[in-house]
Amino acid sequence: MARKIGFYAVVAYAVYGMFFYWYLFYFADTSLPFEYEGSRADPATFLNGRELMLTEEYSKVRNLLFFLSTPLEWLLYTLILVSGLSKAFKRWAEQSAKIKFVQTAIYLFWLSLFAFIGTFPLNFISYSLSKSYHISVQTFNSWIKEELIDFWINYGIMLIIVTVLYWLTNKSRKRWWLYAWLLSVPFTLFMMFLRPVVIDPLYNDFYPLKNKELEAKILSMAEQANIPSEHVFEVNMAQKTTALNAYVTGIGSNSRIVLWDTTLNLLNEKQILFIMAHEMAHYVKKHLYIGIAGYLLLSLAGLYITSKAMNMAIRRWGNDLKISQVNDIASLPLILLIVSILMFASSPLSNVLSRYQEKQADQYAIEMTRDPAAAISTFQELTRAGLSQVNPPLLVKIFRYEHPTMLERISAMEDYEIKQKSKTNMGLSQKPKGQTP
């Protein structure tokens, strides 16, 4: 039975991959609705023929890699279970140490290493793709260094989580999921507080914005938005990518306004101020805290479902998966498999909420800056720099897009511009005759 499960898992992954290849390369329609042709949302009006071709090529392959990556994790965890590797990792850990925590650390290292090696080819293809289309300018040595940093940071965080999780399963077989969730609340907040000052600097250098005149204007906007920031931070991304980005990160006293240096190099002042107004909107409208609350609610439901799914899977396929009970450390790949599936399945909902928040942020930014021309040109530059599709396929938007499409964002700015002109014209028409405007 174990061999059948492994065989069916491989076949299912192959069929899934072929479906998305067919969908993205032959079925999906990314052409613009006729009513938008010739508008400023039409990529033909701001991209040349070569850029249009590269955008379609790059987007199709990048989207295919996205849809292949997460199910590859599911396949790896399934094969680790049915092949007996998880049991072998446990046995090696028990033979190497007597202390329970050290055994957990050794087991998790072997599992993490196997998963890292299994997903490495797809990650390398993704890196190579970005290099070939000049989205990434990062050297291989720099890229592999970041991959290793990722590995060890994820390993350290997972070691804490897994140690606590299996301690809870030993204490309470029925309610471990609830206690795990209760502990996850302060842990999540702590990690959000820690990330800007401890984790992010491991990848990049952050320093106060060199352009003090621009910094003063951004801080003035931040003051209007009641964002507690004394500096705007610049991060050196130009040595890695040509893409553009900016964000407000952290919580409480660790809040930071951050600009990629690529954004500073490629956009003008008005465009940068629009982007910063957008990012500040997330702070003003408490999107970060709403996102944390939503994540915690989803994680509560997810842990409950994981608990039920674990019990059912062990009852039905425990022998085939080489798992005897929930509190067996060898069951960790099954937990990771279920959690990953649930996260993927819930991504359309979380993306809908995220797109709504991003739409709110765009609206806030345009009302603050009142410069639709700068907003539209910003979105056009973001499209060009990232080789992004203006009107992506439906499944790509549902599962991948946390922001509205560029078609939606640019069209919204055009609508705002029309309304403003209409108000201005109406105001002029209502002035008494003979009065100069």
Side-chain angles (χ1 to χ4, degrees):
M1 184 63 180
R3 288 184 179 179
K4 282 186 178 181
I5 293 174
F7 174 76
Y8 290 141
V10 172
V11 170
Y13 183 72
V15 171
Y16 167 90
M18 287 188 289
F19 166 78
F20 272 102
Y21 178 82
W22 167 79
Y23 173 76
L24 293 169
F25 284 83
Y26 296 102
F27 179 78
D29 182 14
T30 59
S31 61
L32 232 58
F34 76 91
E35 62 266 29
Y36 295 102
E37 292 178 2
S39 71
R40 281 177 286 179
D42 185 347
T45 64
F46 61 89
L47 298 180
N48 60 41
R50 175 175 166 75
E51 288 171 334
L52 287 169
M53 178 191 70
L54 292 177
T55 295
E56 284 302 309
E57 288 179 356
Y58 177 69
S59 295
K60 285 176 181 177
V61 181
R62 182 183 59 173
N63 290 331
L64 179 61
L65 291 173
F66 167 80
F67 281 110
L68 290 177
S69 59
T70 301
L72 178 61
E73 293 180 10
W74 308 344
L75 177 61
L76 287 172
Y77 291 139
T78 302
L79 295 179
I80 288 171
L81 288 167
V82 299
S83 67
L85 265 176
S86 187
K87 275 291 185 185
F89 296 156
K90 179 186 175 183
R91 186 170 62 253
W92 298 344
E94 290 173 342
Q95 291 171 352
S96 302
K98 298 296 183 184
I99 301 173
K100 193 70 175 177
F101 175 76
V102 179
Q103 290 177 356
T104 301
I106 294 170
Y107 171 88
L108 184 60
F109 173 78
W110 284 112
L111 178 62
S112 301
L113 182 63
F114 190 90
F116 178 83
I117 293 170
T119 56
F120 183 83
L122 212 56
N123 291 336
F124 178 72
I125 291 171
S126 181
Y127 160 73
S128 300
L129 177 72
S130 297
K131 281 280 282 187
S132 63
Y133 283 86
H134 303 292
I135 301 297
S136 172
V137 293
Q138 191 174 18
T139 64
F140 176 78
N141 287 341
S142 173
W143 176 76
I144 198 66
K145 177 185 175 182
E146 287 196 352
E147 290 291 300
L148 293 174
I149 291 174
D150 272 345
F151 175 86
W152 287 111
I153 288 176
N154 291 333
Y155 174 78
I157 293 172
M158 282 297 295
L159 181 57
I160 296 170
I161 293 171
V162 170
T163 301
V164 173
L165 187 66
Y166 279 92
W167 177 76
L168 291 173
T169 58
N170 279 307
K171 292 293 183 181
S172 176
R173 302 282 180 89
K174 291 183 178 181
R175 294 188 178 87
W176 63 266
W177 59 272
L178 178 59
Y179 302 136
W181 179 79
L182 291 172
L183 289 175
S184 76
V185 175
F187 183 76
T188 299
L189 295 175
F190 176 71
M191 291 303 297
M192 292 291 295
F193 183 81
L194 205 65
R195 176 167 286 278
V197 293
V198 176
I199 297 177
D200 289 346
L202 295 175
Y203 296 89
N204 299 101
D205 296 324
F206 292 79
Y207 37 85
L209 188 62
K210 298 186 186 77
N211 187 335
K212 295 304 175 185
E213 185 179 342
L214 177 61
E215 183 182 45
K217 291 181 180 180
I218 294 172
L219 290 176
S220 175
M221 292 170 63
E223 186 178 357
Q224 293 177 44
N226 294 317
I227 296 177
S229 291
E230 297 180 0
H231 297 286
V232 178
F233 287 87
E234 185 178 336
V235 57
N236 60 328
M237 292 298 294
Q239 61 186 350
K240 298 179 182 180
T241 183
T242 59
L244 312 178
N245 197 16
Y247 56 91
V248 176
T249 186
I251 57 175
S253 60
N254 275 7
S255 296
R256 278 187 172 188
I257 302 171
V258 181
L259 271 166
W260 285 13
D261 57 355
T262 52
T263 304
L264 293 165
N265 296 337
L266 293 176
L267 298 185
N268 61 42
E269 185 177 282
K270 289 183 177 180
Q271 293 168 331
I272 291 170
L273 291 177
F274 173 79
I275 286 180
M276 295 315 300
H278 171 98
E279 297 304 330
M280 290 174 190
H282 292 307
Y283 183 93
V284 172
K285 294 185 176 295
K286 305 292 189 281
H287 287 166
L288 178 62
Y289 298 101
I290 293 170
I292 292 173
Y295 165 77
L296 291 173
L297 286 174
L298 281 175
S299 65
L300 175 61
L303 283 168
Y304 174 76
I305 295 171
T306 299
S307 171
K308 295 300 181 183
M310 283 282 291
N311 292 330
M312 183 192 72
I314 291 173
R315 280 197 306 269
R316 294 187 62 179
W317 305 296
N319 291 333
D320 299 310
L321 299 177
K322 315 293 190 298
I323 304 171
S324 57
Q325 50 195 359
V326 174
N327 64 340
D328 183 355
I329 188 68
S331 68
L332 181 58
L334 180 58
I335 292 179
L336 296 175
L337 170 63
I338 295 169
V339 169
S340 181
I341 290 173
L342 291 175
M343 288 178 66
F344 187 78
S346 65
S347 62
L349 174 60
S350 59
N351 287 344
V352 165
L353 296 175
S354 176
R355 288 195 295 269
Y356 174 73
Q357 291 181 337
E358 295 296 338
K359 184 178 179 181
Q360 283 187 318
D362 282 349
Q363 187 63 34
Y364 178 92
I366 193 61
E367 288 174 357
M368 174 178 270
T369 60
R370 298 190 180 279
D371 192 346
I376 290 169
S377 61
T378 298
F379 292 139
Q380 290 174 338
E381 287 301 321
L382 287 169
T383 301
R384 178 182 286 108
L387 293 181
S388 305
Q389 289 173 311
V390 169
N391 187 33
L394 179 61
L395 290 180
V396 174
K397 178 181 176 181
I398 289 172
F399 283 95
R400 190 164 188 217
Y401 270 54
E402 296 178 347
H403 291 71
T405 66
M406 286 302 180
L407 173 61
E408 294 166 336
R409 301 181 85 176
I410 294 175
S411 298
M413 296 301 107
E414 287 187 312
D415 290 343
Y416 175 86
E417 188 175 44
I418 292 169
K419 289 177 182 176
Q420 288 301 106
K421 288 180 178 178
S422 176
K423 287 180 181 178
T424 301
N425 293 335
M426 187 178 296
L428 290 173
S429 66
Q430 291 176 352
K431 287 184 178 293
K433 288 184 179 181
Q435 181 176 335
T436 56

